[in-house]
Amino acid sequence: MLDTAPAGVETELTQFFAAARLRASDYGEHYVALWDSLEQASRGGKRVRPALVLAAYAGFGGRDQALVAPVAVSFELLHTAFLIHDDVIDRDLARRGVANIAGQFNDRALAHGAAADQAGVWAAAAAILAGDLALSEAHRALAKLPVDVRTRLRLLDLLDRAVFVSAAGELADVTNSSARHPLTMAEVITTLENKTAVYSFEAPLQAGAVLAGATAEAIRLLGRYGRLVGVAFQLTDDLLGVFGDPLKTGKSVTADLREGKQTALIAHAGGTESWSLIAPYLGKIDLSDEEAERAREHLRACGAKAAAEGLAYDHSRWAIEALEPALIPADLRASLTELANAAVNRSR
Amino acid sequence: MLDTAPAGVETELTQFFAAARLRASDYGEHYVALWDSLEQASRGGKRVRPALVLAAYAGFGGRDQALVAPVAVSFELLHTAFLIHDDVIDRDLARRGVANIAGQFNDRALAHGAAADQAGVWAAAAAILAGDLALSEAHRALAKLPVDVRTRLRLLDLLDRAVFVSAAGELADVTNSSARHPLTMAEVITTLENKTAVYSFEAPLQAGAVLAGATAEAIRLLGRYGRLVGVAFQLTDDLLGVFGDPLKTGKSVTADLREGKQTALIAHAGGTESWSLIAPYLGKIDLSDEEAERAREHLRACGAKAAAEGLAYDHSRWAIEALEPALIPADLRASLTELANAAVNRSR
């Protein structure tokens, strides 16, 4: 399995936030609080993207931990920025049950005597600005890197593609959710790939490999692996969001149904005769546990569960097949193979 | 006066958007529309920031127009990003009477059959993502610059400071507007400086000078000039927002009063015995033209208009005084002096 991101990345992030907080203290308590909230937001994750950057870098012989750490930090802060702005778009005031930046500044405004609608403006301002600050540092960490011009331009292009494609995926996710009919399976997969797989898997792996001086062909294969494994992870997430064990995953198994989320399950069901039985449950705000269970039975019976599981396994397998032994070093291949297997074998 | 930004900057921007639109076409019509909206948003302005970059660069002997153009583009796109995200924070669907990105995507969602609340999500998503894309390109334009390491790091630091300080100013602007009492004059000036003067005047001038190889002392003076002239401009804007001629400025003279905007006028009035006469008009959503005229009379009578005008002139004069003849080349000094005079001599 991948190593967790080592201490160097945490140190780099801690130093960045300590310096920012010190600078922010010249601009008042609210701005210091904004940086505290941003640091907290960046602490929530599993550091998947840094781990991928470091694995690819080490896998292709990279040894300079001080050089690779800012690249890992760049992709982690890009992720932080996207999550924060995603929450603004979805109007969420909490993430994983804890007040997010908007939620914290909504409370802060009320504590400072602001009216409710004004508190909403504080919340939006804080979250939008925090995302902008994280996004800016993601760019800056790469731009400052002491590497040759060619390497820098290639890293900048990877980051550029990550931002460009993720924005397309995020926009598609929003416009898709207004669709009155189920999406096609191809539309679902493309959105998963664009919104998350490119910036979370493809780009971090390729950045680590570029920095280590891997060949163009190896970098291409890592990109292919990253897109496929990213889709496998998300297909599995969506399965766990309906059929998982909340005690093990920490994820509700009714929220996606209530929201009418357009997943691979729904895309499959939409093409079967069971659709008219399933559709009434989707997007039903007050869906009961019994109704959710009935929706699950229909999704099983029409083959949607099996189809989504099959697709997740296919993507995991295709990802592993992309790791050509002649081009991807054995140690890296072993850990990426393990990661691809783990993507689809999670507790449910 | 400053030259308007020459064709090189427009060409650079046009090429950037043409390339982005072509790339976006792989991701569906909504994403192409997003890039169209972003380009349109970037077309609205007067290109003040590019003009300042180019003036400082040429003033210190810079001659490579292909080198300076991306720096000018960087600060223009930074401005575009801030305006777009500012509109999201203020929940505005229009800018200067024309539908902004959020307004355009709200309409687009409704045309595609989305419900009203869902249209609001399209609007927020489009505007937040468009701002992120503009901000990313602002960073990328500098990061790609073919200059020596030291120059690149100095330019990146200027951009970093611009983002950091503007975010502080924007947040302060929002939190200040919840204050139940008038701000102090110092608070008003600091917010104008942080929110706008640093990124719009200080940083573009310093970036042009850094790129041309100006001395540290000259760069410091340009920064001082930029902050002061930026404040002079905004103090005058706020005067025109209450006492201007809408036919000449295109600006409402009741909107700021209705909104209860915390300007230098209000800060001065807050410290006088007329405050209790003025306060009831501020933030009154349905303020009539007659009431606005009465508020103006009180603001004149208590000396607020004269005080704000005096402060604007002081900042303009201090800005000019910062341009030490021994350090700032004569041609640049002449055009910056003219700019500082124009800042406070605008039609009202």
Side-chain angles (χ1 to χ4, degrees):
Chain A
M1 195 59 169
L2 288 188
D3 292 335
T4 51
V9 173
E10 297 304 322
T11 305
E12 187 95 4
L13 275 166
T14 301
Q15 285 173 351
F16 165 66
F17 283 113
R21 204 163 31 234
L22 188 65
R23 269 170 100 186
S25 63
D26 287 344
Y27 299 88
E29 50 154 351
H30 298 307
Y31 199 44
V32 174
L34 180 69
W35 278 97
D36 286 340
S37 292
L38 177 54
E39 178 166 20
Q40 201 180 315
S42 89
R43 291 260 175 255
K46 294 178 197 154
R47 305 283 193 241
V48 172
R49 294 148 198 86
L52 291 170
V53 172
L54 298 171
Y57 180 66
F60 285 99
R63 293 288 169 265
D64 186 344
Q65 296 304 316
L67 184 68
V68 70
V71 178
V73 162
S74 171
F75 285 98
E76 187 64 14
L77 289 176
L78 182 67
H79 174 56
T80 302
F82 284 158
L83 290 187
I84 292 170
H85 280 177
D86 203 24
D87 278 355
V88 181
I89 291 168
D90 294 339
R91 299 172 183 162
D92 290 330
L93 295 181
R95 182 169 278 271
R96 297 195 200 91
V98 179
N100 62 12
I101 296 180
Q104 290 167 21
F105 269 75
N106 192 72
D107 295 347
R108 190 175 183 85
L110 296 174
H112 279 77
D117 68 327
Q118 195 59 28
V121 179
W122 285 47
I128 290 172
L129 293 169
D132 289 349
L133 292 164
L135 179 60
S136 289
E137 186 62 22
H139 285 282
R140 179 172 162 82
L142 286 196
K144 283 173 64 186
L145 219 60
V147 292
D148 63 274
V149 174
R150 191 156 162 270
T151 304
R152 192 173 79 250
L153 292 179
R154 289 173 74 192
L155 291 172
L156 291 172
D157 282 349
L158 289 174
L159 181 61
D160 182 56
R161 170 171 155 80
V163 170
F164 189 92
V165 175
S166 303
E170 174 80 17
L171 185 68
D173 201 34
V174 166
T175 58
N176 284 344
S177 69
S178 295
R180 297 272 167 78
H181 50 82
L183 300 182
T184 66
M185 193 60 86
E187 286 170 330
V188 168
I189 304 276
T190 298
T191 303
L192 296 179
E193 186 174 310
N194 291 343
K195 187 183 171 187
T196 309
V198 168
Y199 94 81
S200 298
F201 293 88
E202 174 190 305
L205 284 168
Q206 291 191 318
V210 163
L211 194 63
T215 64
E217 186 58 13
I219 291 165
R220 193 185 65 74
L221 292 178
L222 278 186
R224 180 169 162 71
Y225 166 88
R227 284 192 301 283
L228 290 163
V229 82
V231 171
F233 259 103
Q234 291 172 89
L235 286 169
T236 306
D237 277 345
D238 286 343
L239 272 158
L240 294 173
V242 175
F243 293 102
D245 177 350
L247 291 178
K248 291 189 187 158
T249 65
K251 255 184 98 153
S252 159
V253 283
T254 50
D256 284 1
L257 293 171
R258 278 195 187 130
E259 191 192 304
K261 190 173 174 188
Q262 297 260 22
T263 63
L265 289 167
I266 307 309
H268 180 90
T272 69
E273 292 187 349
S274 302
W275 178 242
S276 61
L277 298 172
I278 293 167
Y281 297 115
L282 304 175
K284 188 167 187 290
I285 309 278
D286 58 351
L287 191 77
S288 69
D289 287 349
E290 291 70 34
E291 290 172 318
E293 190 50 37
R294 251 170 288 153
R296 273 181 219 114
E297 283 160 17
H298 289 306
L299 287 168
R300 272 196 205 90
C302 77
K305 179 166 184 280
E309 285 172 348
L311 259 182
Y313 277 97
D314 285 345
H315 278 79
S316 167
R317 185 167 46 82
W318 296 333
I320 293 167
E321 287 170 5
L323 301 169
E324 286 181 25
L327 291 160
I328 311 293
D331 281 1
L332 179 60
R333 221 172 61 240
S335 51
L336 293 182
T337 299
E338 207 178 332
L339 180 71
N341 285 322
V344 291
N345 289 306
R346 284 181 286 162
S347 44
R348 63 186 61 154
Chain B
M1 195 57 169
L2 289 187
D3 292 334
T4 50
V9 173
E10 297 304 324
T11 304
E12 187 95 5
L13 275 166
T14 301
Q15 285 173 351
F16 165 65
F17 283 112
R21 204 165 27 237
L22 188 64
R23 267 170 102 185
S25 64
D26 287 343
Y27 299 88
E29 51 154 350
H30 298 308
Y31 200 43
V32 174
L34 181 68
W35 278 97
D36 286 340
S37 291
L38 177 53
E39 177 165 21
Q40 199 180 318
S42 89
R43 292 260 174 254
K46 293 176 198 155
R47 305 282 192 243
V48 172
R49 293 149 199 86
L52 291 169
V53 172
L54 298 171
Y57 181 66
F60 286 98
R63 293 288 169 264
D64 186 345
Q65 295 305 316
L67 185 68
V68 70
V71 179
V73 162
S74 171
F75 285 97
E76 187 63 14
L77 289 176
L78 182 67
H79 174 56
T80 302
F82 285 158
L83 290 187
I84 292 171
H85 281 178
D86 204 24
D87 278 355
V88 181
I89 291 168
D90 294 339
R91 300 172 185 164
D92 289 331
L93 295 181
R95 182 168 278 271
R96 297 196 200 92
V98 178
N100 61 12
I101 296 180
Q104 289 167 21
F105 269 75
N106 193 73
D107 295 347
R108 190 175 183 84
L110 297 174
H112 279 77
D117 67 327
Q118 195 57 29
V121 178
W122 286 46
I128 289 173
L129 294 170
D132 289 348
L133 291 165
L135 178 59
S136 289
E137 186 61 22
H139 285 281
R140 179 172 162 83
L142 286 196
K144 283 173 62 186
L145 219 60
V147 292
D148 62 274
V149 174
R150 194 158 160 268
T151 303
R152 192 173 80 249
L153 291 179
R154 289 172 75 192
L155 291 172
L156 292 172
D157 282 350
L158 289 173
L159 181 62
D160 181 57
R161 172 172 153 80
V163 171
F164 189 91
V165 174
S166 303
E170 173 81 17
L171 185 68
D173 202 34
V174 165
T175 57
N176 284 343
S177 68
S178 296
R180 296 274 167 77
H181 50 81
L183 300 181
T184 66
M185 192 61 86
E187 287 170 329
V188 168
I189 303 276
T190 297
T191 303
L192 295 179
E193 188 174 309
N194 291 344
K195 187 183 171 187
T196 308
V198 168
Y199 95 80
S200 298
F201 293 89
E202 175 190 305
L205 283 167
Q206 291 191 318
V210 162
L211 195 63
T215 64
E217 186 57 12
I219 291 166
R220 193 185 64 74
L221 291 178
L222 278 186
R224 181 170 160 71
Y225 166 88
R227 284 191 301 282
L228 290 162
V229 83
V231 171
F233 259 103
Q234 291 172 90
L235 287 169
T236 306
D237 276 345
D238 286 342
L239 272 158
L240 294 174
V242 175
F243 293 103
D245 176 350
L247 291 179
K248 290 188 186 158
T249 64
K251 255 183 99 152
S252 159
V253 284
T254 49
D256 284 1
L257 293 171
R258 276 194 190 133
E259 188 192 309
K261 189 174 176 188
Q262 297 260 21
T263 64
L265 289 166
I266 307 308
H268 180 90
T272 70
E273 291 185 352
S274 302
W275 178 241
S276 61
L277 298 172
I278 294 167
Y281 296 116
L282 303 175
K284 190 169 185 290
I285 309 277
D286 58 350
L287 191 78
S288 69
D289 287 349
E290 291 70 33
E291 290 172 318
E293 189 50 38
R294 252 170 287 153
R296 273 180 219 114
E297 282 160 17
H298 290 307
L299 287 168
R300 271 196 204 90
C302 77
K305 179 165 185 280
E309 286 172 349
L311 259 182
Y313 277 98
D314 285 346
H315 278 81
S316 166
R317 184 167 47 81
W318 295 334
I320 293 166
E321 286 170 6
L323 301 168
E324 287 181 26
L327 291 159
I328 310 293
D331 281 1
L332 179 60
R333 222 171 62 240
S335 52
L336 293 182
T337 299
E338 208 178 329
L339 180 70
N341 285 321
V344 292
N345 289 307
R346 283 181 286 162
S347 44
R348 63 186 61 157

